[in-house]
């Protein structure tokens, strides 16, 4: 309909990269409708440019939606595949086969990737990513130990360090996700609407009270 | 009113937008532009929402299960997204309304107290 509108919507779409395609399609269609209807109310198609120039910058607009929907399933799967792949090469055994290879370096890359996933993809996904890394490392270590047989005895201290480093990966993913979630909850544009809760009736005064109370808030009677 | 910081007014609005949106949509299924218009008229211009505030707020309410949406194709061929309240949204609106009235009454009492 208008070059300005198309350019604006294209940029919003670009900034929503990584979100589910269906969601993006719906958002873009809704914004397009809004622009068309606003222009219509303002006097016709010639005002589309004015409407678009009064809208939020594409990056800001996309960011608001990204906070709500996060990354799509395809991207989540890709992140997990990358994390599993990197985790395989962090098991401190590959240096034995190739002294030039540094598992510590891969470990650092894995930390950066986990931190990114934790801060961008949400708390549930952060936990999945952290545990994927944790489990992968143990599976690879177990496989190598099984192949090496009695030549591959792992000492208690090394095993403890390995366990600690693996647990650290879960924390690296989880902590930024949790911090960002708390931060966004504070910033979120919403009235903290009352959550619906289970209720029951007080046997003494018949007042309807929350189910988790041990004493009636009206008459003070004990709830059995 | 110039002595009042804009930030405070913004916080007041922010704290009541979701409730107002639910109340407007409770009167029948509506689409985005229509909601902006009705909200502006009903509030005598106090709530003049920008699209960057309205649509993400609607999507957030939908994700929480308070709203449901439906695409309806217009005669012009343009699909339009209509929002309506879910059962959960109706229940939440009822409680939120009661709580809001309670708060307004309490604040009025405090503001108008003689002693």
């Amino acid at each position: 309909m208008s070059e300005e509108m198309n350019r604006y919507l294209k940029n919003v779409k670009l900034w929503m990269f990584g979100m589910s395609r269906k969601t993006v399609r719906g958002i873009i269609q809704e914004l397009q409708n809004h622009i068309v209807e606003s222009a219509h109310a303002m006097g016709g198609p010639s005002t589309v440019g004015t409407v678009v120039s009064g809208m939020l910058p594409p990056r800001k607009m996309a960011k608001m939606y990204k906070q709500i929907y996060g990354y799509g399933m395809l991207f989540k799967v890709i992140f997990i595949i990358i994390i599993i792949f990197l985790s395989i090469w962090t098991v401190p055994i590959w240096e034995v086969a190739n002294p030039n290879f540094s598992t510590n370096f891969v470990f650092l890359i894995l930390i950066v990737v986990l931190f990114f996933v934790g801060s961008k993809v949400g708390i549930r996904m952060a936990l999945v990513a952290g545990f994927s890394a944790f489990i992968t490392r143990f599976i690879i270590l177990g496989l190598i130990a099984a192949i090496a047989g009695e030549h591959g005895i792992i000492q208690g201290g090394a095993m403890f360090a390995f366990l600690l480093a693996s647990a650290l990966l879960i924390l690296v993913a989880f902590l930024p996700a949790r911090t960002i979630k708390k931060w966004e909850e504070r910033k979120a544009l919403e009235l903290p609407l009352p959550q619906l809760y289970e209720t029951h009736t007080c046997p003494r005064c018949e007042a309807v009270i929350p189910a988790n109370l041990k004493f009636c808030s009206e008459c003070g009677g004990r709830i059995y | 009113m110039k002595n009042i910081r804009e930030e405070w007014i913004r916080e007041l609005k922010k704290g009541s937008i979701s409730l107002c949106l639910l109340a407007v949509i409770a009167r029948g299924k509506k689409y985005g532009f229509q909601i902006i218009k009705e909200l502006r008229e009903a509030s005598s211009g106090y709530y003049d929402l920008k699209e960057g505030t309205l649509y993400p707020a609607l999507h957030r309410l939908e994700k929480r299960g308070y709203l449901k949406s439906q695409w309806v194709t217009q005669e012009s061929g343009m699909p339009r997204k209509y929002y309506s309240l879910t059962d959960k949204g109706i229940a939440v609106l009822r409680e939120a309304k009661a709580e809001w009235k309670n708060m307004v009454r309490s604040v009025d009492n405090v503001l108008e107290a003689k002693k």
Side-chain angles (χ1 to χ4, degrees), chain A residues 80-90 106 110 136:
Chain A
I80 293 296
I81 290 171
I82 292 171
I83 284 162
I84 289 175
F85 178 77
L86 287 172
S87 303
I88 292 171
W89 301 101
T90 60
V106 185
L110 180 61
T136 305

Side-chain angles (χ1 to χ4, degrees), chain A residues 83 86-87 90 106-115 133 169:
Chain A
I83 284 162
L86 287 172
S87 303
T90 60
V106 185
F107 191 80
L108 279 177
I109 297 174
L110 180 61
I111 283 182
V112 173
V113 174
L114 282 171
F115 190 86
L169 295 174

Side-chain angles (χ1 to χ4, degrees), chain A residues 126-199:
Chain A
L127 280 174
V128 173
F131 275 104
S132 300
F134 183 91
I135 293 165
T136 305
R137 276 163 61 83
F138 274 92
I139 289 174
I140 297 300
L141 186 71
L143 280 174
I144 291 167
I147 293 165
E150 54 188 32
H151 301 291
I153 297 165
I154 303 164
Q155 289 175 343
M159 193 62 203
F160 181 70
F162 185 79
L163 177 73
L164 216 64
S166 305
L168 173 82
L169 295 174
I170 301 173
L171 279 181
V172 165
F174 175 71
L175 288 180
R178 191 173 179 276
T179 311
I180 285 171
K181 190 174 180 243
K182 291 277 165 202
W183 172 249
E184 278 172 0
E185 273 173 4
R186 282 181 58 195
K187 273 176 57 184
L189 179 81
E190 58 186 324
L191 169 68
L193 289 167
Q195 300 292 314
L196 296 176
Y197 52 77
E198 296 288 318
T199 56

Side-chain angles (χ1 to χ4, degrees), chain B residues 34-94:
Chain B
Q34 191 182 13
I35 295 169
I36 292 182
K37 237 171 75 179
E38 286 193 19
L39 197 55
R40 192 191 302 132
E41 282 165 15
S43 68
S44 310
Y46 190 74
Y47 288 104
D48 193 6
L49 292 192
K50 292 273 176 198
E51 68 298 320
T53 306
L54 174 79
Y55 293 106
L58 289 174
H59 283 240
R60 217 181 274 277
L61 289 170
E62 188 180 10
K63 217 174 171 214
R64 280 194 156 201
Y66 299 161
L67 297 181
K68 58 183 178 207
S69 63
Q70 187 191 6
W71 285 96
V72 178
T73 308
Q74 304 303 295
E75 278 178 21
S76 61
M78 188 172 79
R80 191 184 265 164
K81 195 176 184 183
Y82 282 88
Y83 293 91
S84 54
L85 289 191
T86 59
D87 290 343
K88 194 177 171 188
I90 293 169
V92 161
L93 175 63
R94 195 168 44 234

Side-chain angles (χ1 to χ4, degrees), chain A residues 69-113:
Chain A
Y69 293 105
Y71 281 88
M73 188 49 76
L74 178 70
F75 270 74
K76 287 179 180 171
V77 171
I78 290 172
F79 286 141
I80 293 296
I81 290 171
I82 292 171
I83 284 162
I84 289 175
F85 178 77
L86 287 172
S87 303
I88 292 171
W89 301 101
T90 60
V91 181
I93 201 84
W94 304 112
E95 277 108 342
V96 180
N98 180 3
N100 293 326
F101 186 80
S102 168
T103 50
N104 286 342
F105 180 67
V106 185
F107 191 80
L108 279 177
I109 297 174
L110 180 61
I111 283 182
V112 173
V113 174

